[in-house]
Structure formats: C-alpha cells, structure tokens
Amino acid sequence: GQPVTEFSEPILIRIPLGDIGDADRELLSVAKIVDGKFIFYGGRVEGDAIVEARDTFSSYVVVENKVVFSDTETVRSWAGRQIEVMAAKGAIEGKAEGVFAPHDNVTRAEFAKMLVKALDLDNVKATESFDDVKATDWFAPYVAAAVQNGIIQGRSSAAFDPLATITRAEMATMIARALQAKYNLNGS
C-alpha cells in the first residue's frame, strides 16, 4: 500500500528501440541524466528492445555511448573492443577523461564495481559496515552490493581495504562467486 521507487531485488526494464539506423548495437546503453550528465547503466539488445535490470524507478534514455581512450593502442588487438563495450555500458570508466591506463593495477573497489555493474547486481538498499568504506566514497554502493551478494569479503570484519591492488586469485574467486550469485552456477 505504499509507493516504492527503490528495490532490493532489481526489476527488468525493457525499452523499445524503434529505428536505430546504423548505431552500434553493442554500444547502446540505458542511461539517465543526473546533475546535467549521463550516468550509464548498460543493457543488452534483445530483438527490437534494450533490456536492463534496475534497482530504482527513474526516467531513462537509450544512447549510443562511444567512449574513446587515447592509451589503449598496445592492447587494442586483444582487448580493444571489449574495453569499448564495457566503457559504453558504464562498467569501467578509466582513470581520467580519455585515459584507460590498461597496464595499471586494479583495486579491490574498482573490481567490485566492474562485477556489480557488468552483472546488474546493483542494489541501492545494500549496506556494509567496513570502517574504511564511507557512505560518500564513490565505491561504497558497489562494495555493499558485492558484499550482500557474497561476491567479496573484507580483509577482516572491519576492513575492506578498497584501494589495495587485487590479485588474480581474488579476481577468480570474485568472478566465481558473482556467477554463482547471478546465475546460480557452481564449480562442479
């Protein structure tokens, strides 16, 4: 009996595309305007619509989001397209305007965001209780959603260590847990 605009379990929105002309279907993204700029949420094209899981009601628009990084030439042959698509969907942003830094290390907070955004596990109602994650930190909602979904744990019960470089072993563990959370897949 009460109006609801935020959900702990995402709802699936489907936006008809109409005629998209020669737009690159992989670079289409659901977005909304916040403080005069686009916030990209991703989405996948299914037939004549784009589908995206969202944890809030809002006014959304579909845009072709072409993100260009000036420093990805050395990885273009094996990762260029994937970087462009993930950036178009808002799962990665790079280190600065037009700078991806493909050879930089990835932090625990950055990887938590990548997984949460890529697998539509956002949850505005998720919370965490780490002493080193403040509610105002850019990564706080992603860490909270990752913790709630069992994807990541802290270094201890009080410390998440968000700026620490993530290891390949931690990435593999988080990916396995994320696939379990999203698709109920297990390693057997």
Side-chain angles (χ1 to χ4, degrees):
Q2 296 181 17
V4 176
T5 60
E6 296 179 340
F7 311 97
S8 55
E9 293 293 322
I11 60 167
L12 206 58
I13 61 169
R14 178 178 293 274
I15 302 172
L17 292 175
D19 181 15
I20 61 170
D22 61 354
D24 186 331
R25 295 170 71 85
E26 284 189 304
L27 301 183
L28 294 178
S29 183
V30 172
K32 73 177 178 179
I33 300 173
V34 177
D35 297 328
K37 68 177 192 170
F38 283 119
I39 304 295
F40 295 98
Y41 296 104
R44 66 186 179 283
V45 176
E46 291 182 356
D48 60 353
I50 189 166
V51 178
E52 172 62 6
R54 295 297 315 127
D55 58 349
T56 61
F57 278 142
S58 190
S59 295
Y60 297 104
V61 64
V62 177
V63 296
E64 181 184 29
N65 185 21
K66 293 182 179 181
V67 180
V68 178
F69 295 111
S70 62
D71 62 345
T72 56
E73 193 56 42
T74 60
V75 297
R76 179 155 305 284
S77 65
W78 64 273
R81 180 62 177 178
Q82 291 79 8
I83 291 169
E84 290 171 357
V85 171
M86 292 300 288
K89 304 295 184 180
I92 58 174
E93 295 178 21
K95 299 289 182 172
E97 183 70 31
V99 178
F100 182 70
H103 301 291
D104 276 10
N105 291 325
V106 175
T107 68
R108 290 169 49 84
E110 290 168 337
F111 199 66
K113 177 186 177 183
M114 288 179 210
L115 283 178
V116 167
K117 295 281 283 184
L119 294 175
D120 290 329
L121 296 171
D122 304 76
N123 181 347
V124 296
K125 293 186 175 195
T127 60
E128 50 67 40
S129 59
F130 298 114
D131 294 341
D132 56 355
V133 178
K134 295 176 181 53
T136 56
D137 291 333
W138 68 264
F139 50 81
Y142 307 110
V143 169
V147 168
Q148 178 195 353
N149 282 288
I151 295 170
I152 196 166
Q153 300 167 351
R155 299 278 191 195
S156 71
S157 61
F160 178 71
D161 205 7
L163 303 180
T165 299
I166 192 167
T167 66
R168 287 183 286 187
E170 288 174 314
M171 285 183 186
T173 300
M174 287 175 64
I175 291 167
R177 288 176 180 161
L179 292 173
Q180 173 66 32
K182 179 70 177 186
Y183 301 110
N184 200 24
L185 299 176
N186 59 33
S188 50

